[in-house]
Amino acid sequence: MKMFLLPHRYGHVLCGFIAGEEAEFMETLTDAEVLTALTQMLQRITGNPQLAPPKKMLRSRWHSEPLTRGSYSYVAVGSSGDDIDVLARPLPEEASDPTPPQVLFAGEATHRTFYSTTHGALLSGWREADRLIRLYESSESQQCSSRL
């Protein structure tokens, strides 16, 4: 499913990203304080001191979220997409091992193209769900053929 924001229906959307200590600090501010600072910044960069404040604001509190604490994946210097592929391999990973995978890995850190994104987390979850479906379909077909 894709969602498109239609400016004629919903208005225009401005997305921003704050990282590091500034993001941690921003989470200590009220929505009103963030909106005031945002409006002042927009007025300054547009050169329009009369620019009206945004109608709405939605922000995350990524740093204080207890399940993430501000973390997300990134490809470190010296790393590559191959390292992401290694993180995504199920265990056991031996092709010659008759034991089906016991541990599957999903999450934004395991998607080579969309690492560090919600989209990557979703797609990697679908990837592993498909892996389980294929695994169970093949084990069911083997059970059926052994009964014949």
Side-chain angles (χ1 to χ4, degrees):
M1 178 175 98
K2 291 184 181 180
M3 186 170 121
F4 299 98
L5 294 175
L6 306 171
H8 65 279
R9 184 169 179 191
Y10 297 105
H12 296 279
V13 176
L14 176 66
C15 297
F17 184 83
I18 301 173
E21 292 176 0
E22 290 79 9
E24 292 177 41
F25 174 71
M26 184 268 309
E27 289 187 20
T28 68
L29 303 174
T30 65
D31 284 354
E33 290 170 318
V34 172
L35 196 55
T36 297
L38 175 62
T39 301
Q40 291 170 349
M41 181 189 66
L42 290 172
Q43 290 170 341
R44 196 169 44 250
I45 63 174
T46 62
N48 180 357
Q50 305 305 313
L51 187 69
K55 293 177 183 175
K56 280 184 168 181
M57 179 185 68
L58 174 66
R59 64 179 170 144
S60 70
R61 288 179 172 77
W62 194 243
H63 178 264
S64 54
E65 168 58 45
L67 299 177
T68 59
R69 293 291 184 212
S71 63
Y72 60 91
S73 66
Y74 63 96
V75 180
V77 173
S79 294
S80 72
D82 294 339
D83 297 311
I84 294 170
D85 293 341
V86 169
L87 286 174
R89 290 183 191 153
L91 296 174
E93 64 177 296
E94 294 297 321
S96 59
D97 191 339
T99 307
Q102 303 297 303
V103 181
L104 303 177
F105 298 97
E108 43 93 21
T110 69
H111 196 284
R112 188 179 185 121
T113 309
F114 296 108
Y115 58 87
S116 77
T117 67
T118 303
H119 192 69
L122 175 68
L123 292 176
S124 67
W126 287 351
R127 178 195 64 220
E128 296 310 316
D130 287 340
R131 187 189 311 267
L132 286 171
I133 290 167
R134 287 189 310 273
L135 177 69
Y136 284 108
E137 284 176 345
S138 95
S139 70
E140 285 177 3
S141 64
Q142 286 175 359
Q143 288 174 359
C144 289
S145 63
S146 67
R147 289 185 209 152
L148 298 175

